[in-house]
Amino acid sequence: MVYNVPMTSGLTDPDGFRNAFADHHRKVYAAAFGVLGDAALAQDVVQDVFLRLWRRPGSFDPARGDLGTYLRLMGRSRALDLWREAQVRGRAADRLKLVGGPAEPRIEEQPEPLFERSENGAAVRAALGQLPETQREALVLAYWGGLTADQVAKRVQVPLGTAKSRIRLGLARLRDELPVAA
């Protein structure tokens, strides 16, 4: 297609841009698809290339070459970037699989640990029942509620030192109450 206005000013005009897209989007798609082999990603590359062109039409210099060649090169370059990112993600995932080792069976699939856990839970609940209310509340908020000592202090409206003391004293009494695991 021959443009009657200089190319960069034609690209800032919606009609000129529309014409450039109509003339070149298939070739940009083909270049991207050739690298990626994925239609959806190739379409994303086309959108990305033409969005960059719309935002910065001055980046194309007609003295350096044809618009179609420029757009295909941008599309191929962007597709290679996406392909490289996918390769890096794949290698990182493979390394994590090697480091992580085989997955442990779920606790529900192991009857012995499940039984031990229920027995331990009952013992902990019984020991918690023996604690003063303030210590029990501080421990439950900290360990089962996931709150920090500062958050516990704010929640129960006591000074930070008092909250820390309640947690520490409660833990000490729990240690005394609970049997030592063999």
Side-chain angles (χ1 to χ4, degrees):
M1 165 141 241
V2 177
Y3 298 93
N4 295 333
V5 291
M7 186 58 68
T8 56
S9 65
L11 293 174
T12 58
D13 172 44
D15 290 330
F17 184 82
R18 189 177 301 114
N19 289 336
F21 180 82
D23 290 346
H24 301 289
H25 78 277
R26 287 182 191 90
K27 291 181 181 177
V28 174
Y29 174 85
F33 186 79
V35 171
L36 297 167
D38 183 317
L41 286 176
Q43 290 170 354
D44 288 346
V45 168
V46 170
Q47 180 178 354
D48 198 28
V49 165
F50 281 95
L51 183 61
R52 287 182 187 188
L53 182 65
W54 176 255
R55 288 182 176 162
R56 293 189 327 249
S59 64
F60 169 66
D61 182 7
R64 295 183 67 196
D66 177 52
L67 178 64
T69 303
Y70 172 76
L71 293 173
R72 283 192 306 277
L73 182 61
M74 270 182 57
R76 185 175 185 283
S77 177
R78 181 68 184 125
L80 284 170
D81 288 345
L82 289 175
W83 180 82
R84 287 182 191 118
E85 288 171 10
Q87 295 298 308
V88 168
R89 279 193 306 272
R91 286 192 301 268
D94 290 344
R95 282 192 298 267
L96 282 175
K97 287 178 188 173
L98 290 174
V99 170
E104 294 267 335
R106 294 171 45 131
I107 192 76
E108 295 85 17
E109 297 169 359
Q110 301 173 344
E112 189 175 313
L114 183 60
F115 176 73
E116 288 174 11
R117 195 169 114 189
S118 66
E119 273 190 355
N120 290 341
V124 168
R125 282 189 295 279
L128 277 171
Q130 300 299 316
L131 295 178
E133 176 65 30
T134 56
Q135 292 174 7
R136 180 174 47 247
E137 180 183 35
L139 281 177
V140 168
L141 288 172
Y143 287 91
W144 287 276
L147 300 181
T148 64
D150 187 48
Q151 292 169 328
V152 170
K154 288 177 183 170
R155 173 77 65 88
V156 297
Q157 298 176 346
V158 296
L160 176 61
T162 302
K164 287 181 177 182
S165 293
R166 289 177 181 176
I167 293 169
R168 183 179 45 78
L169 291 171
L171 283 175
R173 286 195 60 185
L174 276 181
R175 275 190 220 103
D176 293 341
E177 296 286 329
L178 291 174
V180 177

